[in-house]
């Protein structure tokens, strides 16, 4: 459908599975994607840049993959930190089903693939990783970050990857202006036309 986007809650197009081989956490896996989600053919370039330019996740606690798609970030976090609880959050029900399927294929049991409403309201996170859905529009994107970034634990980081020509620098400025004084924003990396922004809670 022309009106369908990867951020649709319930994709209406006929489900067509696809098998792809992808490298995650120094291993290669055969995983499942489908139509009606973001980047079904491969790990997209932005996510590749994020994974290559962020440190290993904390070994325990709650970790958040915001806008998880079919799960490359969440799966990497779960593989790197088997004692952590990874929250793979997306509005797209098809994407969440794929994350669950791929977690089983990879052999990890520490991923909760859920909608935003299903994350306990009192939960905070030792790390947030996201390739945020820029194309939802600025107001929607800002609202999403306003909701999740304050749930970062003290002395913890959020890592966001944004394409430079889709507004990474303006997002950086907005974050600096909006976030409370106990947060700091810096550019951690630039690669392939993408910026990796680090949001640190002091």
């Amino acid at each position: 459908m022309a009106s369908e986007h990867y951020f649709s809650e319930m994709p209406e197009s006929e489900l067509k599975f696809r098998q792809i081989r992808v490298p995650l956490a120094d291993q290669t896996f055969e995983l499942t994607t489908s139509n009606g989600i973001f980047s079904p053919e491969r790990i997209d370039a932005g996510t590749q840049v994020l994974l290559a330019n962020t440190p290993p996740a904390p070994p325990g606690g709650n970790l958040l993959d915001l806008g998880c798609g079919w799960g490359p970030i969440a799966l990497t976090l779960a593989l790197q930190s088997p004692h952590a609880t990874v929250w793979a959050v997306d509005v797209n029900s098809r994407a969440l089903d794929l994350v669950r399927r791929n977690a089983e294929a990879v052999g990890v049991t520490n991923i909760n693939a859920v909608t935003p409403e299903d994350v306990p309201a009192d939960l905070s996170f030792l790390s947030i990783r996201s390739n945020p859905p820029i194309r939802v529009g600025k107001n929607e994107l800002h609202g999403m970050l306003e909701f999740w970034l304050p749930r970062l634990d003290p002395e913890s980081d959020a890592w966001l990857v944004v394409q430079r020509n889709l507004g990474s620098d303006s997002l950086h400025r907005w974050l600096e202006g909006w976030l409370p004084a106990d947060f700091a924003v810096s550019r951690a990396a630039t690669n392939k036309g993408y910026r990796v922004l680090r949001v640190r809670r002091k």
Side-chain angles (χ1 to χ4, degrees):
M1 296 180 65
S3 62
E4 183 170 288
H5 300 284
Y6 60 83
F7 43 83
S8 299
E9 292 183 18
M10 297 289 291
E12 297 178 19
S13 55
E14 181 185 356
L15 177 61
K16 297 177 182 177
F17 288 121
R18 177 195 302 253
Q19 301 300 124
I20 61 173
R21 287 180 62 80
V22 295
L24 296 173
D26 299 321
Q27 303 176 67
T28 299
F29 298 96
E30 179 118 348
L31 301 179
T32 304
T33 69
S34 76
N35 57 318
I37 63 165
F38 177 64
S39 191
E41 298 88 10
R42 66 186 70 85
I43 300 179
D44 66 283
T47 297
Q48 290 181 37
V49 170
L50 182 73
L51 292 173
N53 290 279
T54 47
N62 292 298
L63 314 176
L64 173 63
D65 173 7
L66 182 57
C68 61
W70 55 263
I73 296 172
L75 293 166
T76 299
L77 294 174
L79 287 163
Q80 290 177 341
S81 304
H83 300 295
T85 300
V86 178
W87 295 83
V89 172
D90 207 296
V91 299
N92 186 320
S93 60
R94 187 173 293 181
L96 295 174
D97 287 341
L98 289 166
V99 173
R100 297 180 192 112
R101 182 185 292 258
N102 288 328
E104 186 174 347
V106 167
V108 294
T109 59
N110 57 331
I111 294 180
N112 291 326
V114 295
T115 61
E117 296 77 20
D118 289 330
V119 179
D122 59 348
L123 208 65
S124 60
F125 302 96
L126 282 175
S127 186
I128 299 173
R129 313 281 168 110
S130 182
N131 181 355
I134 297 298
R135 296 183 189 279
V136 298
K138 186 176 292 187
N139 289 341
E140 188 82 11
L141 175 68
H142 288 180
M144 184 174 75
L145 296 177
E146 287 170 353
F147 182 78
W148 293 103
L149 289 180
R151 297 173 69 169
L152 196 63
D153 284 321
E155 300 183 7
S156 299
D157 298 292
W159 304 85
L160 313 173
V161 65
V162 182
Q163 200 166 349
R164 187 168 54 82
N165 64 9
L166 290 181
S168 62
D169 293 345
S170 63
L171 181 65
H172 188 160
R173 290 191 295 272
W174 175 79
L175 287 167
E176 287 183 320
W178 170 76
L179 284 166
D182 59 333
F183 285 82
V185 187
S186 60
R187 185 191 302 166
T190 299
N191 194 9
K192 299 180 181 176
Y194 289 86
R195 310 270 206 230
V196 177
L197 303 180
R198 179 188 185 186
V199 180
R200 175 76 174 172
R201 187 164 204 173
K202 302 172 186 175

